[in-house]
Every structure is written in structure tokens, then in C-alpha cells.
Amino acid sequence: DAKTTQPTSMDCAEGRAANLPCNHSTISGNEYVYWYRQIHSQGPQYIIHGLKNNETNEMASLIITEDRKSSTLILPHATLRDTAVYYCIAASSNTGKLIFGQGTTLQVKP
Amino acid sequence: DTGVSQDPRHKITKRGQNVTFRCDPISEHNRLYWYRQTLGQGPEFLTYFQNEAQLEKSRLLSDRFSAERPKGSFSTLEIQRTEQGDSAMYLCASSTRTGMGTEAFFGQGTRLTVV
């Protein structure tokens, strides 16, 4: 599975868009980009995933560059409840195994 | 459907004792995963099942750890002769493979403290 690189921490003002970057320069053709988040003491929560095209759901948007070497998770209107550790993972659907890195700690501030 | 359920939520045990955790996946999910998470770290993959078959085990899973998934439904993770280093959150996740990638849904975890 490809390794991903994320900033250690980010701040965002409440009500503003939070843009979380992720580099996955060694991603292979059959690997999807997944985003999960983990709020303190809870299990990780699935947010969104994509292969090549940009994706949007009720929680977030995922923008994947054309060369697939990086992506950005966008939370359009961050709230205090979005404060969490966000994990970007590149993984094949063959096994569904997820290799978590350190993630980005997003702090949403009032 | 109430999602992935793990039991117990918390377990305190003395060093050297055996412990067993249970995971009930989402009912139609044929894949089940176990992860371990220590403080300040991301979850680490331990093992996964497709139906009742255990298809992959991490090198992190020492001989003291064993996982089963009889009949492809719930799963158990047993740790024998627990050590203080086993103290962690043990997470279970389930998924079903589709042609569009695989979303895994996690339980709330079992927090193990070995004293």
C-alpha cells in the first residue's frame, strides 16, 4: 500500500472551509484514496473515498489531482464537532486493509 | 442495523491473564478486520477475515494472539498471557467489497489495560 504524507496539524475557523491536503506520490493504479476521521476515544469514522474522479457526499468533498499523486479533503463549513484527527489512506480494494499514518489533527476554532 | 458492536468496551486485567474480545460486524458484511491503537498513534492492522477464512495476519500479531470468525459472523480476538505492552484500544471494522472501493465501518473499540 502506498505511503501518504499529511501535515501534523491544522487550524480552521468555525464556518469556514477546511482544506486538508495529502500526498500519495507512490499510489498505484488500483489503489483508492480513503479519508477517515477519529474523534477522541471513538473508532475511526469513514468520510469519503475516490479513485480518479472528484467525489462529494453529505460530509465532504474529495479533490484528486489528475496525476493522482495528491488529494485534498474539503469540509465546506467546518463546525466545532469537526475537530478530530483526519487520516488519508491509499489502499487497494483487494483486501480493504487500511494502513493508518499519524494523520492531521484539525482544530476548529470559534 | 446498529453498526459494528464490540464487547466489552473496557477491560482491566492482570499481567499473565487471558482476555477475549468480541466483535459483531454489520450483518451483510463479509469482511472483518482487527486493529490495535496505542495512545497518540494511528490504528495498526492486525488481521482480517473474509467470511470465516482468516486471510492475512500482521507480524504484529504474536503467537499469544488468536482470532477466529466461526461461521463468518461474529469474531473473537484472544490474547493469552497478557503483557503490559498489550495495553491498547482494540478496534474491529467490517466491510463488503464492491466494485467501487471498500468502505470500512469501525466499532467503538475495546480498551484494554494490563496492570
Side-chain angles (χ1 to χ4, degrees):
Chain A
D1 294 330
K3 180 180 168 60
T4 61
T5 305
Q6 300 177 252
T8 302
S9 63
M10 293 181 63
D11 290 341
C12 178
E14 188 179 19
R16 302 298 295 268
N19 296 275
L20 290 85
C22 178
N23 287 321
H24 32 79
S25 57
T26 61
I27 195 168
S28 62
N30 68 343
E31 288 181 325
Y32 288 76
V33 179
Y34 293 87
W35 284 85
Y36 285 79
R37 72 181 182 183
Q38 189 171 27
I39 297 169
H40 183 61
S41 295
Q42 296 183 21
Q45 178 189 22
Y46 167 81
I47 302 173
I48 199 167
H49 76 280
L51 185 63
K52 290 188 286 189
N53 299 324
N54 299 337
E55 302 289 343
T56 295
N57 62 21
E58 65 279 3
M59 287 183 69
S61 295
L62 173 59
I63 308 299
I64 303 174
T65 58
E66 195 169 337
D67 63 7
R68 302 208 327 123
K69 292 186 176 182
S70 66
S71 61
T72 302
L73 178 75
I74 302 171
L75 307 177
H77 305 287
T79 71
L80 299 178
R81 286 181 291 184
D82 292 321
T83 292
V85 179
Y86 287 76
Y87 296 100
C88 168
I89 302 164
S92 165
S93 64
N94 290 339
T95 65
K97 178 177 74 175
L98 302 171
I99 305 298
F100 290 80
Q102 299 287 1
T104 296
T105 299
L106 175 69
Q107 182 75 45
V108 180
K109 299 185 173 181
Chain B
D1 187 356
T2 57
V4 178
S5 177
Q6 291 190 246
D7 183 69
R9 292 291 309 277
H10 303 273
K11 177 73 177 178
I12 299 174
T13 191
K14 291 184 178 179
R15 191 173 50 184
Q17 297 295 305
N18 299 344
V19 294
T20 300
F21 310 139
R22 177 179 171 124
C23 172
D24 286 275
I26 293 171
S27 58
E28 66 269 23
H29 285 183
N30 60 355
R31 290 179 170 180
L32 186 147
Y33 308 83
W34 285 98
Y35 292 82
R36 179 173 68 188
Q37 186 173 26
T38 53
L39 208 59
Q41 304 296 315
E44 298 171 298
F45 170 79
L46 293 179
T47 188
Y48 98 97
F49 293 82
Q50 181 151 311
N51 300 312
E52 65 275 10
Q54 187 173 17
L55 296 187
E56 186 172 344
K57 291 167 61 172
S58 164
R59 280 173 248 169
L60 293 173
L61 215 62
S62 78
D63 291 345
R64 297 184 297 105
F65 288 69
S66 63
E68 293 182 342
R69 194 184 181 196
K71 303 177 184 177
S73 56
F74 71 92
S75 175
T76 58
L77 177 69
E78 182 184 17
I79 309 174
Q80 295 182 328
R81 305 180 302 281
T82 52
E83 302 173 356
Q84 286 189 318
D86 298 330
S87 294
M89 174 79 85
Y90 290 84
L91 293 160
C92 175
S94 71
S95 71
T96 189
R97 183 176 182 179
T98 71
M100 299 291 291
T102 305
E103 306 165 31
F105 295 89
F106 284 79
Q108 293 303 303
T110 294
R111 182 167 295 284
L112 173 67
T113 303
V114 181
V115 297

